[in-house]
Amino acid sequence: MISVHHPSATAALGDLSAFRAAFHHCLTARADALFELADAVLCAEGPVTSLVELSLATEHRRGHGSLYDGLNRGRLEVNRFRAVLAHQSIPRSQDGRIVLAIDVSHWLRPDANTSPERLFCHTYARGKGQAQIIPGWPYSYVVALEPGRSSWTAILDVLRVRPVDDHTDLAAAQLRTVVDTLITAGHWQTGDPEIWIIGDSGYDGSRLAFLLADLPVRILVRLRSDRVLRFPAPPRQPGTRGRRIRHGARFVFTDPTSWPTPAQATITNTTRYGVAHAQSWDRLHTKLTRVGAWVGHAESLPIVEGTVIRLQVQHLPGTGTPKPLWLWYSTTDNDAAPTADQVDRLWQMFLRRFDLKHTFRFLKQTLGWTTPRVRAPEAADRWTWLMVAVYTQLRLARPVVEDRRRPWERKPAAPGRLSPARVRRGFRAVRPATAMPASAPKFCRPGPGRPSGSRNSRRAPLHNPARPGKQTSRVKTQA
């Protein structure tokens, strides 16, 4: 453990204390109950299995009724807390660039018939072809990725996807909020490298690039292996009549004969994937049609050009030869096309996006993000933001937490190299040295409760889960 008198430890404790005080300031209703609930999650032994067990923790000095009252009737100023998150240290890549990743994780609620605004969530199982559609609440996360071999991310925003939301348009609005907040916080200034935004194949890269064209960002998304893109239209010949051609030759991912000579081609030896071959082609775009998000587009459909990268690795751990990976990057030769080194950095940075999967796994399996069985989606939102506050405190406590390793674990990790679970294991020893803004609970006499033998006369409405872009409907009431 780093000495508390060490300058880096003192600065880390100061940042952690400042964040805890700012987080408590963002809680405008049931602040002390919600703050102590977050401390109980931080200091609990082992994974969080139920809210009742958290109410018995030493750090939670209030009763279990206060715990549920805080989740159901508490209030967190989200915009203020977003600014607090943006003012923390933001990880950057080797060239000082901020790299953001966006993805959706599901809080599955299959039996919550009285919970509104549920959607049908596509989930994967361990077996091949075992994907399922389960009702739940999908949440969109935006995080900043760290370089190097680390599973840490910096969570900057989380937003629940509602039935009426369009997937890509919601992502564009969320990313705009995050980027504007980072610029306001001073993390990006004129002359700095553009911010990279990385997403999976569920995001429309052309749509994101079009909606965020006024921001200093570049989009990098994965494409399906059956896509067909277009090159620019050839020059118009003199004397040609008729409408000008808008799209050029086809670039078919499954047809190598339609691929011209790549603009860049690299070969990289990796320790995990063997030999990696990367190729890139400039100025490729999608032929848009007036469907989906482009239905209400009044003007002519835009042509959003980008660079396509094809990655073929030698092997994946535990499998044979994998399929090629296709990426689309919103930069062409008109505005500094990627060089060979940048092409390698792009696909390597895309692989860093899987750190967000580790964050989801830690939130669910250790912090118990999807453990509570709350009814109202607003209560789920408060609990989700509490998880963000908990994770951020763990990230800030990395330099000062002692490694309390299990006997069967490997040698102690170096300071700053601990995993989120191991940092949480030693957070209880650091907590007394940080700010404690929550006041002591006041004694109160419990209410009489429901009279014995009476029945609940309030019938909770039942809600059908909806598909994305559609409203839920009330079908009947529960007796």
Side-chain angles (χ1 to χ4, degrees), residues 443-461:
F443 174 78
C444 62
R445 190 176 302 276
R450 184 184 300 172
S452 178
S454 63
R455 299 183 60 183
N456 185 12
S457 59
R458 297 182 179 180
R459 298 181 177 180

Side-chain angles (χ1 to χ4, degrees), residues 249-297:
R250 289 158 50 96
F251 184 92
V252 184
F253 287 4
T254 57
D255 184 12
T257 60
S258 64
W259 308 346
T261 303
Q264 302 291 343
T266 63
I267 300 177
T268 307
N269 293 321
T270 64
T271 58
R272 185 174 179 83
Y273 308 108
V275 181
H277 297 266
Q279 299 172 300
S280 68
W281 294 268
D282 297 333
R283 302 196 63 185
L284 282 165
H285 65 273
T286 303
K287 184 178 180 180
L288 303 177
T289 57
R290 296 187 183 277
V291 296
W294 300 100
V295 171
H297 193 75

